[in-house]
Amino acid sequence: ASVAVQATLLSAVTGFTEEEADRAARGDCEALSPPLLLCCLAVFTAVALQEARDTANLARWLAHLPRSGKASSATLVFAAQGGAHDGWPPRLRWAGGGLGRRALLCAALLVVLPKAVLAAALLVVGERYLWHSTGNESLLLRTLSLKFVTGIDELLFEVAAGPGHKYGL
């Protein structure tokens, strides 16, 4: 769901960029402060690269999941693992044999691939979006709006998941 929200917001950003490019071609904009432009581009690039790193970490985590040659599935369960443990935060362990090839392939195609495509598109579209700012105020607002687009998935997860699920994931 969060990938769909990010894709929708990114497509809106693309439309705004085209409008701003037309406005800049007509000369309806003020000169941008070069230091501010460099700072905003650096901040946005760092945010976009963090999205790419998060996607790579997700792919790495997926590659280390227990595997099974069968179509069986593994489940994460909450359990205390011996010793003095008060039950919170809950510890996780695998129950079952592992994930089958189909489950791993589905996870890669339905989660990792769209997230990677969005991270790459965000970097390309976002940089263009910042370059076509019509003034310093617009540049700052655009930088903040791109940060919002990258953080929408965490915001949705915070609202939708309970405390036990947050820890488990």
Side-chain angles (χ1 to χ4, degrees):
S2 65
V3 171
V5 171
Q6 283 182 325
T8 302
L9 290 172
L10 195 58
S11 68
V13 166
T14 304
F16 293 144
T17 301
E18 291 168 0
E19 290 173 15
E20 291 293 324
D22 292 341
R23 188 173 164 198
R26 291 191 309 265
D28 296 342
C29 57
E30 65 183 66
L32 295 176
S33 164
L36 179 63
L37 178 62
L38 287 176
C39 287
C40 288
L41 287 171
V43 166
F44 174 70
T45 302
V47 168
L49 291 177
Q50 180 182 7
E51 282 291 311
R53 186 187 68 208
D54 290 347
T55 303
N57 288 340
L58 180 63
R60 205 171 305 120
W61 179 80
L62 188 62
H64 286 90
L65 287 176
R67 292 194 174 96
S68 169
K70 303 174 186 172
S72 66
S73 65
T75 307
L76 278 173
V77 294
F78 295 105
Q81 298 177 346
H85 182 63
D86 63 0
W88 192 261
R91 294 187 182 159
L92 300 173
R93 67 173 177 80
W94 286 103
L99 293 176
R101 289 182 186 165
R102 284 187 186 163
L104 288 171
L105 182 62
C106 283
L109 291 177
L110 297 175
V111 178
V112 177
L113 184 62
K115 191 165 173 59
V117 168
L118 273 175
L122 183 70
L123 183 62
V124 172
V125 171
E127 295 281 341
R128 184 171 177 239
Y129 183 60
L130 291 179
W131 276 107
H132 289 293
S133 296
T134 56
N136 292 331
E137 290 176 4
S138 172
L139 179 62
L140 284 172
L141 287 174
R142 287 170 178 240
T143 303
L144 291 174
S145 67
L146 288 170
K147 174 57 181 144
F148 173 76
V149 169
T150 62
I152 193 72
D153 55 344
E154 286 92 8
L155 178 67
L156 291 174
F157 178 71
E158 253 329 286
V159 169
H165 291 107
K166 290 177 194 173
Y167 178 78
L169 293 175

